[in-house]
Amino acid sequence: MTRASGRRLRAAAAFGIAATLVATGCSVSVKSGTSNVGPTTLLVGGADSGTPALFRNFNPFSPNKRNLTTWMYEPLEVVNNLDGKETPFLATGYTQPNARTVDFHIRQGVRWSDGKAFTAADVAYTFELLRSHPALDTGGVWQHIASLSVSGDHVVFHLKNADVPAAKVIEATLIVPEHIWRGVKNPVTYTDPNPVVTGPYTLARFTPNQYTLEKNDSYWQADKVSVQKVVVPGSSPDLAIATQGYDWAYSFFPNVDNTWVKADKQHHSYWFPPGGIVGLLPNLTKAPFDNLDFRTGLSLALDRQQIADKAEQGYVKAASQTGLLLPNEKASLNTAIPNQGMVAQNTSAALAAFAKAGYTRRGGKLVNSAGKPLSVNLTVPDGWADWMQGAQEIIQQLRAVGITVKLDKPQPAAYQQSLQNGDFDLALGTVGGSGSLYQDYNNLLNSAFKKPVGTSTASNYERYGDPATDALLERFKTTTDPAEQKRLADQLQSVVYRQLPEISLFYGGLWGLSSDKKFTGWPSPQNPYASLMTWGSTPLLVMTHLRLAQ
Amino acid sequence: MRYILRKFGLLLLTMWAAVTLNYALPRLMPGSPADAAVAKLSQNGPVSPSTRAAIEAQLGVPSGSWWHQYVEYLNTVVHLRFGVSYTFFPQSVSGMVGQALPWTLVMVGLVTVLAFVVGSLIGVAAAWKRGTWLDSLPTLSGAFLAAFPYFWTALLLVFFVGYVFGWFPTSGAYSADAVPNFSLDFLGDSLYHAVLPALTILLTSLGGWILGMRNTMIGTIGEDYVTFAEANGLRGRTVALRYAARNALLPNLTGFGMALGGVVGGSLLVEQVFNYPGVGHLLYSAVTNHDYPLMQALFLMITVCVLVANFIVDVLYGVLDPRTRR
């Protein structure tokens, strides 16, 4: 959610020209066109992209699906990933009679877009489909579920273990119609070209460069949906987004005040809330990164806000060392941790910590007891320009305390492989932001993911392992008591704060842009009911909040 | 005939080597297709461990020894079966290539021919009128334009002609709401969209042809047979085109063969800048996503076309210049 794509870089290059011209005093006025898509049509940019052309795939379980598939198919509940709040959709709610059972109450009176009634049987069918085709189970629900049963309008999930957080995984599954999918020969390669859905929109028109959604008039909360049509171009360069009357877009804009906002000061605004934490992952299987004093030194040596400003142009704040996204998750904060977990740069304390770890400063360089200067590698994926900027700043700051840092920049796939196999010293990586505190801490800390170096693991790339922390996670997983959950979350924050399994640097932003020229009710810092992400299920929240501007 | 057969044998041998390289190179890149898919998804937030498992199940990540895979691969190449693309799963590779190829062939292909013809003619004129403005203007501006990196030219055109003046569309091969067909309306629309990318390639490649042609032409103009033709009182244009240019064209022809062969590879950066749905664009996404099947098909197509174009130029050379046949 924080990354620059190729599309973004290309658009940024075009903008670079504009910025250069402006900077050199060359006055250019870009012709400002307005979209002619109509007053009740939403034009959305940066929501989908096709290479070389959009491919008609609306299979909700395919990683290559058209992004707006999730504006048509609905899950049981939508989770706001900013604060973890759940909003009932195809379920009206759920109960957890015990830690091994989740009981979803399925909404009545919902119809599929072809007129057939939606029932609990569709829900059960969808989950059975995922069980019989593991390739479709991208949410991994069957790692949690042992079996499920339908009784009336209830679907009851029996879990493999005591597993309270599983509800959030299960409820995110998009539900498909049994009467259509039953006839599909191979659901894994099915492209679902004409989706039959329960959601607010249906597919109206598809061309290789652009597609259009139309309001589903039989939608169960149709009265909340004001946008009649949604137009999604396959390509929406930043220059076009800024100048051509887009209502909603998701894009990292260099100098956003001077570009997006300036194009229509009265209506254009942006909101970049944190969507994850970008931090340094130390390889805990290697010296000196396995030494807590050394990690403390690293943490104290860095000026996080300066790194954030370099990397993301001042759009995001330095991150809290608690592993929480602030201010979104402020309610979960452990108040015993000083200063909300913000760590200030303190060079003398850093040097003291390095000394405790056995590294002293000699001639401006940190050297070990044998007098050998310290040199480490920092792994950053090639082409992720903002991270590269941040990495340059980190290198400078660490050089100031005497550490030589070599930049290692593999291609993204190779970077991913290095992380998984533990083949790095220090790496920039993203943690947190799933909307579930348990998932965030589990992925970061659980020793079940701690595979030996050279063996691929899917999480906990830094390879942290501590029985006491595992016990905390286990209790977190099995308790349904909110007070106990809060206590455990507090303790897990302390672990991250004190043990430094990763060194949080800055928040990865969710680069949302909106215009209230035609529609009002956008999410904002004052009304953070969702982020301005254009993919995933949270757009369902946005589209049921928007109203026509008066 | 023996000359052609020998050249043909060489063609087969180089093709085999190219096909084998196509197999080996993508696999030498660190990271697997699943890694690439996970890295791509992680741009949109943390990827849960189960997502990776599902992706691996979908892509059916290649198994078996390299040797086994190689034999399998040769078999598919011979039968022109390229399977399913990883990046655009479950779209077939041939479907993706079939969709992208016409755009590149028409846009890049026509421009390449046009640039060669126009550039060579200007080169002839420049050499013939050496020292006049007819020489210095195209030579200087050609050298100037050729020195520009072509993505830079593309960005300048996008910004000024596309955005500031708004004369031409800046992205895509046709209007967003159009469906490709053979109506006049659609053809006009796609021509309109091809103007800027085509202009970019034309501007940046023209200089090379002009300079190449002019320089060899100046050499041939000094030859005795040209002086003789002139002394015989033939018209200037006849001497320039029929006598001097015909010989001066030979070195440029080699370059032209290479350029034609390279057309199918698309014009990667230009297609990226203009978001043009051609082969260059496709190749870029195939490589960045470790899409072995798509990469293999594209590289194969490109190498075969370059080799065949070279073969044809070789044969033509043999026809035009008997000395090369030995």
Side-chain angles (χ1 to χ4, degrees), chain B residues 61-85:
Chain B
V61 172
S63 57
S65 68
W66 272 41
W67 173 247
H68 177 82
Q69 286 184 43
Y70 177 63
V71 174
E72 248 336 59
Y73 161 78
L74 283 186
N75 188 31
T76 55
V77 167
V78 170
H79 293 95
L80 296 179
R81 280 196 319 254
F82 294 104
V84 175
S85 158

Side-chain angles (χ1 to χ4, degrees), chain A residues 1-3 275-279 281 384 387 415 428-432, chain B residues 42 45-46:
Chain A
M1 60 185 60
T2 58
R3 304 285 353 113
I277 297 170
V278 180
L281 302 175
W384 294 14
W387 280 23
Y415 158 80
L428 268 188
T430 318
V431 297
Chain B
S42 71

Side-chain angles (χ1 to χ4, degrees), chain B residues 185-209:
Chain B
D185 272 357
F186 182 79
L187 289 180
D189 184 45
S190 44
L191 263 180
Y192 186 46
H193 279 77
V195 169
L196 287 189
L199 194 61
T200 306
I201 302 176
L202 189 66
L203 282 180
T204 45
S205 62
L206 205 53
W209 298 125

Side-chain angles (χ1 to χ4, degrees), chain A residues 286-547:
Chain A
K286 271 190 181 178
F289 310 102
D290 57 352
N291 183 323
L292 177 59
D293 289 320
F294 184 81
R295 299 202 295 275
T296 309
L298 280 181
S299 172
L300 288 168
L302 298 170
D303 180 340
R304 290 163 169 73
Q305 190 57 48
Q306 209 173 334
I307 298 167
D309 289 345
K310 265 282 159 46
E312 310 292 349
Q313 307 203 352
Y315 295 163
V316 294
K317 294 260 183 322
S320 161
Q321 188 56 48
T322 54
L324 293 183
L325 306 189
L326 298 178
N328 312 353
E329 297 175 327
K330 209 168 178 174
S332 306
L333 196 65
N334 177 352
T335 46
I337 294 177
N339 198 19
Q340 305 196 341
M342 304 302 298
V343 180
Q345 185 185 37
N346 184 339
T347 310
S348 54
L351 288 172
F354 285 130
K356 260 172 93 180
Y359 290 91
T360 49
R361 201 135 90 141
R362 194 181 300 163
K365 297 264 179 215
L366 279 186
V367 296
N368 65 10
S369 50
K372 194 170 167 267
L374 180 63
S375 168
V376 302
N377 287 318
L378 173 61
T379 307
V380 184
D382 191 28
W384 294 14
D386 48 348
W387 280 23
M388 213 56 96
Q389 299 266 327
Q392 296 295 353
E393 181 62 28
I394 294 167
I395 291 172
Q396 281 190 20
Q397 294 185 8
L398 290 182
R399 189 187 296 144
V401 294
I403 304 175
T404 308
V405 185
K406 285 190 210 133
L407 193 60
D408 184 16
K409 35 180 192 175
Q411 291 295 312
Y415 158 80
Q416 190 64 36
Q417 195 185 38
S418 310
L419 281 190
Q420 285 163 189
N421 292 337
D423 177 21
F424 61 93
D425 289 351
L426 280 173
L428 268 188
T430 318
V431 297
S434 71
S436 156
L437 282 188
Y438 170 77
Q439 294 298 350
D440 289 350
Y441 287 116
N442 191 53
N443 286 342
L444 180 65
L445 303 171
N446 196 328
S447 68
F449 295 116
K450 189 190 171 189
K451 300 274 169 61
V453 164
T455 309
S456 175
T457 185
S459 216
N460 186 0
Y461 299 130
E462 77 282 0
R463 288 159 161 82
Y464 181 80
D466 170 39
T469 309
D470 287 343
L472 288 176
L473 288 168
E474 187 57 29
R475 268 167 45 216
F476 202 150
K477 193 176 171 185
T478 52
T479 178
T480 52
D481 173 17
E484 173 74 357
Q485 286 172 350
K486 172 79 177 84
R487 267 196 303 279
L488 291 163
D490 280 358
Q491 286 175 305
L492 287 165
Q493 288 169 52
S494 297
V495 170
V496 178
Y497 184 72
R498 287 183 219 297
Q499 296 298 317
L500 299 164
E502 59 96 30
I503 296 163
S504 298
L505 295 174
F506 56 87
Y507 290 121
L510 297 168
W511 317 117
L513 313 165
S514 62
S515 161
D516 61 5
K517 191 170 187 179
K518 278 152 53 186
F519 306 103
T520 59
W522 295 102
S524 65
Q526 293 75 39
N527 189 14
Y529 63 88
S531 73
L532 284 162
M533 272 166 44
T534 47
W535 66 90
S537 288
T538 54
L540 292 171
L541 297 173
V542 178
M543 299 313 283
T544 47
H545 272 79
L546 293 186
R547 291 287 164 270

Side-chain angles (χ1 to χ4, degrees), chain A residues 1 10 51 138 205 207 235, chain B residues 43 45 51 88 176-177 272 275:
Chain A
M1 60 185 60
R10 187 176 61 249
T51 313
T138 47
R205 189 176 146 79
T207 70
S235 136
Chain B
Q43 297 187 351
T51 305
F88 304 98
D177 50 359
Q272 279 291 106
N275 211 33

